[in-house]
Amino acid sequence: MKRLILIVAAGLIAGLIACSQMSISDKDMGLAKGGAFDPQPTPKAFTLDGTGAQGSAETAYLMPPLVKHDTENYPITGEVNPCLACHDKPGVQKKAGDPTPISASHYTKAGGKLQVAGAYYNCQLCHAPAANVPDLIGNNGPKPKG
C-alpha cells in the first residue's frame, strides 16, 4: 500500500513539474485580438442625437427598437413620463412620420380603461437612444431590418 501511495505521489509531482514548464501566451487567453498588455481599442466619442437611427431603428437579436431622438430632455419620474405625450396611442401607426405608438402588449386595463402597465412605464429601461457610432468589435449576427 505504501508503495502505491509513493508511485501516485511521484506521478503527481512529475505532472506538476511538467505543467509548470508549459507556458501559455497572453495572446492565447481571451477572445480579443492581441494580448492582455496590448493597447485596448477605445470607443469613439458620440452624442445621443438620433443621427444614427436608420430606417425603423430596429436592433439585432430581437431587442426593442431604438429611440430615434435625443432623450436627455425627457426625464421619466414616478409622476410623469414625457414619452406618453406622443407615443401613448395603442394601435397602428396612422401614417409615416407619426410617432410610433406603444405596443399593445405594454398596456393593462385598470378601472375600465387602458393604461401603460407599471413594468413598462419607464421606457428607457429597454429602449435606448440611437447613436451614430461604429461597432467596437465586429458583429456577424442577424442584421437589423430596414
Coordinates of all heavy atoms in Angstrom, one line a residue, residues 6 20 40-41 75-76 85 92 117 124 129-130 145:
L6 N 3.4 5.9 -2.8 CA 4.6 6.6 -3.3 C 4.6 6.7 -4.8 O 5.0 7.7 -5.4 CB 5.8 5.8 -2.9 CG 6.2 5.9 -1.4 CD1 7.3 4.9 -1.1 CD2 6.7 7.3 -1.1
S20 N 4.4 23.0 -14.9 CA 5.0 24.3 -14.6 C 5.9 24.8 -15.6 O 6.2 25.9 -15.7 CB 5.7 24.2 -13.2 OG 6.8 23.4 -13.3
Q40 N -5.7 48.7 -25.7 CA -7.1 48.2 -26.0 C -7.8 49.3 -26.9 O -7.5 50.5 -26.8 CB -7.9 48.1 -24.7 CG -7.3 47.0 -23.7 CD -7.3 45.7 -24.4 OE1 -8.3 45.2 -24.9 NE2 -6.1 45.0 -24.4
P41 N -8.7 48.8 -27.7 CA -9.4 49.8 -28.6 C -10.3 50.7 -27.7 O -10.8 50.3 -26.7 CB -10.3 48.9 -29.5 CG -10.4 47.6 -28.7 CD -9.2 47.5 -27.9
P75 N -36.8 63.4 -19.0 CA -36.6 62.5 -17.8 C -37.9 61.9 -17.4 O -39.0 62.5 -17.3 CB -36.1 63.5 -16.7 CG -36.7 64.8 -17.1 CD -36.7 64.8 -18.6
I76 N -37.9 60.6 -17.1 CA -39.0 59.9 -16.6 C -39.0 59.8 -15.1 O -38.0 59.4 -14.5 CB -39.1 58.5 -17.2 CG1 -39.2 58.6 -18.8 CG2 -40.2 57.7 -16.7 CD1 -39.1 57.3 -19.5
A85 N -46.7 61.5 -24.0 CA -47.3 62.7 -24.7 C -47.5 62.4 -26.2 O -48.5 62.8 -26.8 CB -46.5 63.9 -24.4
V92 N -52.2 51.0 -34.4 CA -51.4 51.0 -35.6 C -51.0 52.5 -35.9 O -51.8 53.4 -35.7 CB -52.2 50.5 -36.8 CG1 -51.2 50.1 -38.0 CG2 -53.0 49.2 -36.5
A117 N -48.8 49.6 -18.5 CA -48.6 48.7 -17.3 C -47.3 49.2 -16.6 O -46.4 49.7 -17.2 CB -48.4 47.3 -17.8
Q124 N -37.1 53.9 -21.0 CA -35.7 53.9 -21.2 C -35.0 52.7 -20.5 O -33.8 52.5 -20.7 CB -35.1 55.2 -20.7 CG -35.6 56.4 -21.5 CD -35.2 57.7 -21.0 OE1 -34.6 57.8 -19.9 NE2 -35.6 58.8 -21.7
P129 N -31.5 55.3 -26.8 CA -31.5 56.3 -27.9 C -30.4 55.8 -28.9 O -29.4 55.3 -28.6 CB -31.1 57.6 -27.3 CG -30.7 57.3 -25.9 CD -31.1 55.9 -25.6
A130 N -30.7 56.1 -30.2 CA -29.8 55.7 -31.3 C -28.6 56.6 -31.3 O -28.7 57.8 -31.0 CB -30.5 55.7 -32.6
K145 N -33.6 45.0 -39.4 CA -34.5 45.2 -40.5 C -34.4 46.7 -41.0 O -34.0 47.5 -40.2 CB -35.9 45.0 -40.1 CG -36.1 43.6 -39.6 CD -37.6 43.5 -39.0 CE -37.8 42.1 -38.4 NZ -39.1 42.0 -37.7

